Amino acid sequence: MKKYFHSVRLLPDRCKGCVSCIKRCPTEAIRIRSGKAKIIESRCIDCGECIRRCSNHAKSAITDSIEDLSRFRYNIALPAPTLYAQFGADTPIEAILCGLKKLGFDAVFEVARGAEFVSRAIREYLAKGGYCRPAISSACPAVVRLIQVNFPELIDHLVPFAAPVEVAAKLARELARRREGLNPSDIGVWFITPCPAKMTAVRQPLGAEQSHISGAIAISKIYGDLLKSLPTEPADPACPRATHLGVGWAVSGGEASTLAPIHSLVIDEIHRVSEALDQVALGKLKHVDYIEALACAGGCIGGPLTVENRYVAEERMQHRAQGKQPVPVEDEMLEAVYRDVVDDGRLAIEPQPVMRMDDDIYQAISKVEVMEKTLGRLPGLDCGSCGSPSCKALAEDIAQGIASETDCVFKLREKVRDLAQEMVSLAEKLPPSLNK
Ligand code: SF4
Ligand code: SF4
């Protein structure tokens, strides 16, 4: 059986079985069983939607922490551009980068620099032509997983490049190795992440045997200490700075804007992404060159592991984009490794369809028949009180043998009523008792 790593976990003690999360999960990965939520691992894409949804804080994301830096001799922080949106525009990015070094990192490398390289690779790829239209961004790991499990027929539409954070990690490692003369095993590379899907992608990389990243630390986990560590004097982080082209990837539309002038479509929020992918699968968006698809509303600034409201974050990013921009640094060493990095021997992304009923075709056909018949008997209210997200999902669970028709409260009521009537009519047939 395939072993999964998932950053998103249930805290059973806090779960009240309220069913709020099961209705919002984009892959129908949650069931309520014995009064508690249960995540079906093969379906979960770590989008974090259930973390946002649960008012009882019964869902959380596992990430690494600053203490894990002690595993390595030399540690590099890879701040997601979204980190900058957690601070007012009066806090320069240089101060945030210096603050990270004060927290214990030996060096900082902006993920936005990786994004600049990926933008360039995608521009070259689209200019060459011959790709499956529309090409789809591979930057958001939750979207890539959604395609793997729900839309495997669209895998060839994904652009064949690693996400900016992986590219940044490889570049940062290479720089540290060449400039500091370090042994690769002594270098720890830590992504400061806005979302659990990125944590999962570190432990279970997509399109690669192994990630170049050692671990991921949630923005929400590091924010308080970072705030206290911000330098009060103007600071120089002593690292090549990214331009607004890379930093802009934090907000939805930022990636597509670096690819102009192509015909692109920007879609954010996982359910809207799912609807759009339905349309791609139907062949209705062939005239579009490129789709930027992001699981979180507003883009990475809306990630569940951030601390700032996404509208505030968006306004801050706009403000930063209008401010003084760093001049692009032509770093010869980075240029030298660029081609090697973008053609990183990426593995094919494997389809992982989880919606099929059975590997055996005859079994699958018979289960589909059971499912359809069962669905016809269910009330069609999609209320979720059975613990499955919809009547269709319950019918499927029944066909798979993991639920029963009486899990539906309406069917249970019918059954109780029928039993009561049967008992009444049996009682009427009873012979009179001897003492009457
Ligand atoms: S939203 Fe889901 S995880 Fe949270 S209490 Fe309700 S059932 Fe449990
Ligand atoms: S993280 Fe997303 S896919 Fe996984 S259980 Fe939660 S809502 Fe569903």
Side-chain angles (χ1 to χ4, degrees), residues 115 119-120 122-123 126 244-266 290-292 294 321:
S119 289
R120 191 160 121 201
I122 297 171
R123 280 196 300 272
L126 296 178
H244 73 279
L245 293 178
V247 173
W249 275 57
V251 181
S252 90
E255 176 189 352
S257 71
T258 67
L259 308 176
I262 55 161
H263 181 14
S264 59
L265 195 58
V266 177
Y290 193 72
I291 294 186
E292 176 189 327
L294 298 154

Side-chain angles (χ1 to χ4, degrees), residues 415-433:
K415 194 129 195 157
V416 170
R417 188 196 57 208
D418 293 349
L419 270 174
Q421 276 172 0
E422 203 176 324
M423 285 180 70
V424 169
S425 57
L426 277 175
E428 283 165 0
K429 288 182 192 148
L430 277 177
S433 61

Side-chain angles (χ1 to χ4, degrees), residues 10 14-22 30 32 35-37 50 53-59:
L10 175 80
R14 295 193 185 170
C15 178
K16 304 228 181 327
C18 69
V19 312
S20 293
C21 57
I22 64 170
I30 312 173
I32 308 293
K36 302 279 180 198
C50 54
R53 190 54 47 175
C54 180
S55 52
N56 296 304
H57 307 291
K59 293 269 174 59

Side-chain angles (χ1 to χ4, degrees), residues 154-421:
L154 300 184
I155 283 180
D156 291 343
H157 290 248
L158 288 164
V159 291
F161 305 112
V165 62
E166 276 294 336
V167 172
K170 177 134 195 224
L171 289 168
R173 270 187 188 280
E174 195 59 22
L175 282 186
R177 198 183 62 77
R178 292 190 192 189
R179 287 187 179 155
E180 310 289 333
L182 289 160
N183 190 324
S185 61
D186 287 336
I187 307 171
V189 179
W190 305 92
F191 181 38
I192 314 300
T193 181
C195 85
K198 299 243 168 68
M199 175 71 196
T200 302
V202 170
R203 298 279 180 92
Q204 225 164 53
L206 295 155
E209 288 282 359
Q210 210 184 344
S211 172
H212 300 293
I213 308 164
S214 316
I217 302 174
I219 287 179
S220 53
K221 220 176 205 177
I222 209 172
Y223 177 78
D225 289 336
L226 183 53
L227 190 62
K228 286 186 230 149
S229 304
L230 293 178
T232 43
E233 299 294 315
D236 175 9
C239 67
R241 283 287 327 281
T243 67
H244 73 279
L245 293 178
V247 173
W249 275 57
V251 181
S252 90
E255 176 189 352
S257 71
T258 67
L259 308 176
I262 55 161
H263 181 14
S264 59
L265 195 58
V266 177
I267 306 145
D268 60 8
E269 203 281 317
I270 195 73
H271 297 92
R272 291 199 292 245
V273 169
S274 200
E275 281 171 34
L277 293 177
D278 265 332
Q279 299 307 306
V280 176
L282 290 170
K284 291 191 179 173
L285 290 169
K286 286 199 163 81
H287 56 288
V288 174
D289 296 313
Y290 193 72
I291 294 186
E292 176 189 327
L294 298 154
C296 296
C300 296
I301 52 161
L305 304 183
T306 58
V307 295
E308 194 48 272
N309 172 282
R310 86 154 160 106
Y311 297 104
V312 173
E314 190 169 345
E315 192 277 332
R316 286 176 177 173
M317 291 308 267
Q318 281 166 6
H319 199 89
R320 286 194 189 278
Q322 288 155 9
K324 190 165 157 276
Q325 292 299 327
V327 180
V329 183
E330 295 307 326
D331 187 306
E332 277 179 26
M333 197 179 283
L334 290 184
E335 286 299 316
V337 288
Y338 161 68
R339 184 49 57 198
D340 174 37
V341 164
V342 293
D343 297 339
D344 196 16
R346 232 166 125 63
L347 303 174
I349 291 180
E350 295 291 327
Q352 287 180 2
V354 290
M355 301 305 175
R356 65 174 173 224
M357 298 295 278
D358 204 289
D359 287 343
D360 179 308
I361 182 78
Y362 299 105
Q363 284 290 330
I365 291 170
S366 124
K367 284 181 181 176
V368 168
E369 278 170 9
V370 173
M371 182 182 121
E372 282 172 356
K373 277 188 194 141
T374 309
L375 186 57
R377 292 193 296 272
L378 294 176
L381 295 173
D382 294 337
C383 64
S385 52
C386 58
S388 300
S390 63
C391 292
K392 184 161 176 273
L394 176 63
E396 188 187 325
D397 290 349
I398 292 169
Q400 295 287 22
I402 54 169
S404 79
E405 215 163 300
T406 47
D407 286 334
C408 168
V409 285
F410 298 94
K411 296 307 288 180
L412 183 64
R413 199 161 64 186
E414 268 175 30
K415 194 129 195 157
V416 170
R417 188 196 57 208
D418 293 349
L419 270 174
Q421 276 172 0

